[in-house]
Amino acid sequence: MVKNSRKDSFDGKAIRTARKKMRLSQVELAEGITTQATISLVENQNRVPNADVLLAILDRLNLEISEFVSGDFLTQKAKELLGKVVLQMKHDALAEFSEFEKALSQNSPTIQAYYILKATDECYNKKDFAKVIYYANLAVDKKTPSLGDFYSFYAYRQMGTNYYLQGDIETAKEKFSLAYELEPNLLMANELEFHGALQGRQYYAEFLIEQNELDKAAQILEEGLLALRKRVDLFWVPDLSEMLANVEKKRGNDLSAKRYLHDARMAAFLSNRKTTEERLSALDTVAF
C-alpha cells in the first residue's frame, strides 16, 4: 500500500470494507471505543485516530496493523515510541511497542527503532542481557538503515552497559567508547537528546570509576556540567556533581570534592529535589 500525504497514512476504506464484511454498523464498531462520528470521519480519510483507538478498531475488525497503515505512519510511530522510551525513559510505553512490534520489524525505515526497542524491552521487562546485546548489535549493523547518530549512540551505550553487567570489561569499554564518539553535541542537541546524552555519560562515568580510570571519568563529568551551566539546566547537576565529588575524593582532591558536593546539594535544593537535597545536606561540610 503506497501512501503519500499525511491524511493518506491510513486506509480508511480498508476499515469500511472490513466493517461491512463483518456486518457491523458504524455504531456497533464504535461501541466502547469511540463515537460513530469518528468512525465515519476515519472511513472517509478525514480523521487519523490516536494509537489506542486505532488498535481497538483493528482488533475488533481482526485487521493486522501492518495491513492497514503506511510506512510513513510507522516511521512517525517509531520515532514517537523512541521519544517516550529512549529519551523520556517512560518504559511503560513498551506495552504500546508490543502492539506495533510486528509492523515495525517488517518496515525497512523502522527496523533500527524495532531493534532498539526490543533491546530495551529485553533489559527492563525480561532482564535478558544477552538478548539486549543481540538486538543492540543489530541496531548498529551496517545493513540496518539508521534513524540518526543519536540512536546508534544509544544502542552502543546499551551494549556497553550490558557487556559490563555480564563481566566482559574489555568489550564494555569498547562499546562505551564508540557511544561517546557518537554522542550528540551537548550545546546543539535538542533538550531530550541532551538529557539522553547526559544519562549516557553517567553510565560511562560509573563504569570508568569502577575501572579506576578516574581522570577520564572526571573529564566527561566536567564536560557535562559545563554544558549544563551553559544551557542553564539543573536537571542532571545534582547527580553528576555528586559523582564528580566522589571521583575527586578518590583522586585525593578533598577541597574539590567538598565543592562539588556542595554544588550538588545546592542544585538539588534549587531544582526542588527534596529527598536528594536532604541526603546531601548530611554530607555537605561547606560552611557559610
Side-chain angles (χ1 to χ4, degrees), residues 19 30 56 78-79 87 126 129 140 187 191 199 212 225 231 235 267 273 284:
R19 174 177 63 78
K79 290 181 178 179
L87 296 172
K126 299 169 186 173
F129 303 127
V140 297
L187 297 181
E191 184 177 2
Q199 184 192 39
N212 206 35
L225 287 167
R231 292 181 65 131
F235 186 86
R273 292 177 58 179
D284 185 8

Side-chain angles (χ1 to χ4, degrees), residues 50-250:
N50 65 40
D52 290 340
V53 170
L54 171 62
L55 293 170
I57 291 171
L58 297 183
D59 184 61
R60 185 161 290 176
L61 295 174
N62 296 321
L63 285 174
E64 289 281 347
I65 185 76
S66 57
E67 299 173 34
F68 177 68
V69 301
S70 71
D72 288 344
F73 169 78
L74 289 172
T75 299
Q76 181 182 354
K77 175 53 64 176
K79 290 181 178 179
E80 177 187 322
L81 289 169
L82 287 169
K84 291 178 181 178
V85 174
V86 172
L87 296 172
Q88 297 174 298
M89 294 175 281
K90 294 180 178 179
H91 297 120
D92 55 342
L94 289 168
E96 185 179 356
F97 163 62
S98 67
E99 302 286 351
F100 288 92
E101 183 176 335
K102 180 179 178 181
L104 294 176
S105 72
Q106 296 174 346
N107 181 50
S108 180
T110 59
I111 192 71
Q112 186 184 49
Y114 164 76
Y115 289 142
I116 289 173
L117 291 165
K118 280 291 287 183
T120 308
D121 185 45
E122 293 292 344
C123 179
Y124 285 93
N125 291 329
K126 299 169 186 173
K127 311 298 183 186
D128 190 331
F129 303 127
K131 284 191 176 179
V132 175
I133 291 168
Y134 170 75
Y135 285 114
N137 260 314
L138 289 173
V140 297
D141 189 281
K142 291 181 179 179
K143 295 178 182 178
T144 301
S146 176
L147 288 167
D149 282 350
F150 177 83
Y151 297 107
S152 296
F153 150 79
Y154 183 81
Y156 278 121
R157 202 275 293 156
Q158 283 181 310
M159 283 189 276
T161 301
N162 284 274
Y163 273 117
Y164 177 47
L165 289 171
Q166 290 190 322
D168 189 341
I169 303 302
E170 288 305 311
T171 306
K173 183 184 296 187
E174 174 195 342
K175 302 305 181 184
F176 273 125
S177 180
L178 288 169
Y180 186 54
E181 290 174 13
L182 288 170
E183 181 188 78
N185 184 303
L186 294 181
L187 297 181
M188 302 297 292
N190 65 46
E191 184 177 2
L192 288 176
E193 290 190 358
F194 175 62
H195 288 291
L198 288 181
Q199 184 192 39
R201 281 191 178 231
Q202 183 180 29
Y203 285 126
Y204 190 18
E206 288 172 350
F207 169 78
L208 291 169
I209 293 167
E210 286 293 323
Q211 305 314 308
N212 206 35
E213 294 189 29
L214 302 179
D215 292 345
K216 182 67 174 178
Q219 175 198 331
I220 67 170
L221 291 170
E222 287 168 351
E223 290 172 354
L225 287 167
L226 178 62
L228 284 162
R229 285 196 293 273
K230 288 184 176 181
R231 292 181 65 131
V232 194
D233 188 332
L234 287 173
F235 186 86
W236 284 98
V237 174
D239 305 277
L240 299 189
S241 289
E242 183 180 10
M243 188 176 292
L244 186 51
N246 292 332
V247 170
E248 292 299 332
K249 188 173 183 179
K250 286 176 180 286

Side-chain angles (χ1 to χ4, degrees), residues 242-284:
E242 183 180 10
M243 188 176 292
L244 186 51
N246 292 332
V247 170
E248 292 299 332
K249 188 173 183 179
K250 286 176 180 286
R251 296 166 87 191
N253 300 327
D254 289 342
L255 287 177
S256 292
K258 290 178 180 180
R259 176 168 61 85
Y260 283 120
L261 189 64
H262 180 69
D263 289 348
R265 177 191 172 189
M266 290 298 98
F269 172 77
L270 291 170
S271 56
N272 201 33
R273 292 177 58 179
K274 294 182 180 179
T275 301
T276 300
E277 195 275 330
E278 289 173 0
R279 178 176 59 78
L280 292 173
S281 67
L283 304 172
D284 185 8

